[in-house]
Amino acid sequence: RAGAYQLQAAIAALHAQAESAEETDWTQIAVLYSELERRTGSPVTTLNRAVAVAMAEGPEAGLSLTDTIGELETYHLFHATRADLLRRLERHAEAAAAYRRALELATNPVERAFLKRRLAQVS
């Protein structure tokens, strides 16, 4: 029976075998994250599953899942993920607010520069 590490390894293997995001088996990755989430209860795993769902089914599906997560209010990648999904849905005002919140929380200069560029695109 696969444990958390085996599930993480399977996810990494699916990423590694794909030459691009378009070739990645996002549906299978979402299934694996779902199982990992069931075993760990981690909200970060739920966020990762939401990204995989968004890639497999579209940004609305990923956003719906993301919006069920309540424990990550102080995690910059939660807000960055929401911002990207909102941007992809052309909900620019909401995306800008989420990018601003991500910027408030992010400390890495490279991540902050990226978030600033994305914020400029939707503002």
Side-chain angles (χ1 to χ4, degrees):
R1 183 172 167 167
Y5 293 123
Q6 289 83 5
L7 292 166
Q8 291 170 358
I11 292 165
L14 286 168
H15 281 295
Q17 71 187 21
E19 292 188 24
S20 67
E22 293 78 26
E23 293 180 11
T24 302
D25 187 349
W26 291 108
T27 301
Q28 184 60 37
I29 289 173
V31 168
L32 291 167
Y33 270 125
S34 182
E35 181 60 23
L36 186 60
E37 177 185 22
R38 188 181 70 72
R39 289 171 187 245
T40 66
S42 166
V44 173
T45 300
T46 305
L47 183 62
N48 290 338
R49 180 168 66 97
V51 171
V53 167
M55 296 300 288
E57 300 175 24
E60 188 67 53
L63 184 61
S64 293
L65 182 54
T66 300
D67 286 344
T68 67
I69 305 169
E71 302 90 347
L72 298 178
E73 181 56 37
T74 60
Y75 185 49
H76 74 285
L77 294 177
F78 169 75
H79 297 284
T81 299
R82 285 194 77 253
D84 184 64
L85 296 172
L86 290 162
R87 179 189 60 81
R88 290 169 52 194
L89 290 167
E90 298 183 7
R91 293 166 54 181
H92 297 284
E94 294 170 90
Y99 280 126
R100 283 187 202 95
R101 181 66 177 136
L103 269 166
E104 289 173 7
L105 298 168
T107 59
N108 180 293
V110 174
E111 290 177 331
R112 289 183 55 75
F114 174 80
L115 292 168
K116 286 178 184 178
R117 285 192 306 273
R118 283 296 173 100
L119 176 58
Q121 292 174 350
V122 297
S123 294

